[in-house]
Amino acid sequence: MSATQQPSQAPPRFGVEEEFLVVDAATRAPVPRAAEVVEKASATLGARVSGEITTLQLETRTDPCTTMAELAGQIGQARAVVAAAADAVGLRLLSVGSSPVAGAVPPPMTTGPRQTRGIETFRGLHDELAICALHVHVELPDRDLAVAVSNHLRPHLPVLLTLTANSPYWDDRDTGYASWRTMTWPRWPVAGPPPCFDSAAHYDQVVDTLQEAGALVDRGTVFWDVRPSANHPTLEVRVADAALTADAAVLYAVLVRALVMHLAAVAGRGGPAPDVPGELLRAAYWRAARDGLDGDGLDPVTGRLRPAPELARALVALVEPQLRANGEHELVVAGLDRLLEEGTGARRQRAAARLGGLAAIVDHVAELTARPYELGNPA
């Protein structure tokens, strides 16, 4: 399909889940007061805001959206509401993959039978669980197609990670990585890039075996970076850090939907998924987590290093037909240009640190978390 041709089918609905940290406005450290913010914000957002696995975090979610404008409106509204709710009780809201200022270890957990089973199962892994991510759901009612698209997505996950790399600090220090969250997450038994599966039945068989082996509490603890949702007719892409700004979150989600559309068409024609050696994919993840958009990335298909911005632009070019069909191409190109100029969250956090240390990072991140959506919407 040429860049001027457009896919004939309507775009699938998509939605976003964003996780946030709640920190004290004076100490800048995470505090177990997310429930207070959720209670105030729910008066406006209803079920679109909830607690998370630790009492330091909360989550907002969009309804299923058809257009970029609809998604941007819901993301922008939710961020404004929860940030204002936090401010009203002396707190700040941070959209970061990990807190610049160290919090309690282990983090305080929400309570319930499921959480108790999780602690019994995963033990010390919970010590590093105060991390935040951005999840994108794309509607694909056919589970076999969803699994096939997951297979095709694997080599694209490192470049998707670079677009939101936003966790350079851990335990009051700069780790030297753009996404330290990515380096901690694969310690879990079912996390990181998924394996390839022959079918939805094969996926279910593997997950059932993992559960019987005690590696899962339930299907909700399948933490692969791509998975068919356990509760919705969607494919869920989970590789990203929490995006620093609403603009970055929308840009990322729109790109993910376009990529899923492209790969669904390829898989629907019976095209084989790229044969990516696990060791190359692991190395590509490591390069993406270390340098984000500010270094070279490893193309896991060719095994060659390329500038990370070049890989990001190649991704936009790959899905140009889908973006044009959705009326999103010009805005995505402009958004990527702006992201490359201003930098991901990791670069912007480090710039703030040079001006005022960890406290300045938290204050700057809180300001950008609540900043209104600015990128624009399709005409």
Side-chain angles (χ1 to χ4, degrees), residues 17 135-138 225-229 234-238:
E17 298 167 347
H135 302 161
V136 180
H137 289 259
V138 182
D225 287 336
V226 187
R227 68 180 186 187
S229 172
T234 63
L235 185 68
E236 185 179 3
V237 181
R238 305 163 47 88

Side-chain angles (χ1 to χ4, degrees), residues 206-280:
V206 171
V207 170
D208 288 344
T209 301
L210 289 167
Q211 190 159 354
E212 291 171 6
L216 302 172
V217 170
D218 53 38
R219 286 178 174 267
T221 53
V222 172
F223 293 140
W224 285 317
D225 287 336
V226 187
R227 68 180 186 187
S229 172
N231 302 310
H232 306 287
T234 63
L235 185 68
E236 185 179 3
V237 181
R238 305 163 47 88
V239 69
D241 283 355
L244 181 59
T245 64
D247 281 10
V250 173
L251 172 67
Y252 174 80
V254 167
L255 268 174
V256 167
R257 177 172 70 165
L259 182 58
V260 169
M261 292 172 63
H262 166 72
L263 297 177
V266 173
R269 294 193 296 268
D275 183 13
V276 180
E279 57 273 26
L280 282 184

Side-chain angles (χ1 to χ4, degrees), residues 144 147 151 195-209:
D144 280 314
V147 168
N151 294 340
C196 284
F197 300 100
D198 298 334
S199 63
H202 181 211
Y203 173 90
D204 291 337
Q205 179 185 27
V206 171
V207 170
D208 288 344
T209 301

Side-chain angles (χ1 to χ4, degrees), residues 8-72:
S8 58
Q9 64 185 37
R13 295 190 303 170
F14 67 144
V16 164
E17 298 167 347
E18 292 197 277
E19 297 170 349
F20 302 93
L21 281 173
V22 172
V23 303
D24 184 88
T27 68
R28 278 84 167 189
V31 288
R33 296 176 58 189
E36 298 173 50
V37 181
V38 171
E39 183 179 6
K40 292 185 72 70
S42 62
T44 300
L45 298 177
R48 287 178 51 211
V49 61
S50 66
E52 253 293 336
I53 191 167
T54 80
T55 58
L56 311 173
Q57 300 161 284
L58 60 87
E59 178 183 277
T60 65
R61 62 191 67 86
T62 69
D63 296 322
C65 298
T66 302
T67 66
M68 180 180 183
E70 186 181 0
L71 185 83

